[in-house]
Amino acid sequence: MYTKLRYIFILIGLISIANVSAHDTITVYVKPQKNIADIKTFNKVLSQTNNKPLKIIVSKGIYTFDSSIEVKNPNTHIICEDGAVLNFKNNLESGFIINRDNCSIHNATINGNGKSSTNFYQGFGVLISGAQNTHIINCRFTNISGHAILLMPSRSNVGCRNSMIKGNKISKPSFNFSKTGDEAAILLGYAGNYYSHDNNIISNNEIDGGQILKIGIGFIGHGNDNIFEFNTVKNTKAYGIVTYEYQIVGNTMKRNIIRNNDISNIGEIGDNKTVKGMGIYLMTSVHAIIENNKVYNVLLNSDKSETLGAGAISVSLSPFCTVNNNNIDVSYMYGIVSDYSFNSSFTNNKISNVRKSGMYFINMNDVVVSGNSFTNIGEVSIKGYFENTSLPYIKEQLRDEIYKNINTGNNFKITGNTFNTDKQVLLFTGNLYKDNPKWNNKIKNNIFEKNKISRENKSQNIVDFKLAIPNTNIIRKNRLINTKK
């Protein structure tokens, strides 16, 4: 039976080749074989070396593979008809490998065997390795043993560029490699330096981590100008979306954009506690933009340690960032946390129902906080804690010399915000060190003006700058509304 089916496949392929001109795409139709014969069929057609674009139409049916399928030539496009289902039996040797340029997979239903990989880099649905212009469009991934979609540098340290990962649905994952790892639905990274993942677009994907995956969408590596937009991420343990410079060297992650995403139910469940659980988390991602995202019900089962910035949106060591027009509702820690992210702006965000502060700033200068609204905030609405960056534990974290050996808590412009709270609205605190006065940090040159504060309680000192240089911080033109009936 196998010999007959194989003969039909080859004949169809030859007919397709015979009917095209020298400049046309070669189209080959693939039909399901029995058991492991499917892998031979795919490998045979993918091995064609005619130097012409190749389009493989995968016909309706069930395909079964016991190892990975490697796309061996550039300009290869795999298009699955409705009802074509690709099943991978092996939880280590599975999925498609793309390490050639200008390749794509469309409309595939890719199933794993439901068992977790025992290797972080294996068991994937699709691996893109150092390739340009790869498109993974409208595919469905279920029971995948590793990352559903993994973008890695090549062995020669070439990053992935101009990829389009769009419209994919990822559910029922099986990847549970470690308790505190970075298992993700979609991951750009991971190990190594001297490469750059650039200009990739991750958009319109639907991800349900099933409270198994740690990360919905992760960029843990190096690269610039990547866009993460219009994705839905829910039920992950560590992060919804994270961008994080791998083996931090500084300034190898720039101008990445996270926008218009819907992120919910991030954190641990049951009796498990976590230091993570952030909806969006950035570290050493310079000139990033986070805008128009909805982040709901995050930092579940937080251990409250604050070892990491425990915000629904957290921006760490990331100067010149823009956090604009995001909607945060229900955080079991903070709304927005930012540390060491100098020259950043936080504007037009809506923050409600958070257990701690709406915004928390640590060791930063030159910050704009404008047009935000704060409702049902558990502690002080905006909190700041500021030290001198010559402290050894701070200096070892900073990568830019201009931010070392300086005071922080300076030049915040807090204007045009709306506060609905009976608690304190703002508390900024400096630091004094009797044993080493050179580390003393007094805050100065901050402005709190034209804000609207609605409250029943008329208590004083709702805006407080502690350990500040006298007469340098300005509080003016704010409107206080008594809501008591």
Side-chain angles (χ1 to χ4, degrees), residues 359-407:
M359 291 184 180
Y360 183 18
F361 299 106
I362 305 165
N363 299 339
M364 295 167 58
N365 291 330
D366 305 302
V367 176
V368 173
V369 181
S370 177
N372 305 284
S373 69
F374 300 83
T375 304
N376 194 24
I377 306 301
E379 297 180 350
V380 55
S381 293
I382 300 177
K383 182 168 65 173
Y385 179 82
F386 303 104
E387 300 169 291
N388 186 288
T389 62
S390 62
L391 284 161
Y393 93 93
I394 296 176
K395 287 181 70 173
E396 69 182 12
Q397 297 181 70
L398 298 174
R399 295 296 176 266
D400 292 308
E401 292 296 324
I402 60 173
Y403 302 130
K404 296 179 180 180
N405 304 309
I406 62 173
N407 282 346

Side-chain angles (χ1 to χ4, degrees), residues 346-347 359 361 366-372 374 381-384 386 409-419 425-428 445-453 463-465 473-478:
F346 302 82
T347 58
M359 291 184 180
F361 299 106
D366 305 302
V367 176
V368 173
V369 181
S370 177
N372 305 284
F374 300 83
S381 293
I382 300 177
K383 182 168 65 173
F386 303 104
N410 304 327
N411 304 318
F412 277 72
K413 295 181 179 179
I414 304 169
T415 63
N417 302 284
T418 300
F419 301 90
V425 170
L426 181 138
L427 176 61
F428 275 12
N445 298 337
N446 300 293
I447 298 174
F448 185 88
E449 70 174 355
K450 297 181 180 179
N451 300 286
K452 178 181 175 181
I453 305 168
V463 176
D464 191 10
F465 296 98
N473 299 293
I474 298 171
I475 304 171
R476 65 188 179 193
K477 299 180 181 179
N478 299 289

Side-chain angles (χ1 to χ4, degrees), residues 19-86:
N19 288 321
V20 296
S21 68
H23 301 288
D24 286 338
T25 297
I26 295 170
T27 301
V28 177
Y29 289 82
V30 176
K31 294 180 183 276
Q33 307 292 307
K34 282 189 174 181
N35 299 323
I36 63 171
D38 289 320
I39 195 73
K40 295 182 179 179
T41 297
F42 270 79
N43 284 337
K44 185 174 184 66
V45 69
L46 288 167
S47 297
Q48 295 190 59
T49 56
N50 43 63
N51 297 319
K52 296 178 182 179
L54 174 64
K55 180 188 291 185
I56 301 172
I57 306 297
V58 183
S59 300
K60 177 180 178 179
I62 306 297
Y63 299 78
T64 303
F65 310 103
D66 67 346
S67 62
S68 300
I69 299 170
E70 184 174 352
V71 176
K72 298 180 173 61
N73 295 295
N75 300 300
T76 297
H77 306 282
I78 300 171
I79 301 171
C80 293
E81 295 180 345
D82 289 343
V85 179
L86 313 179

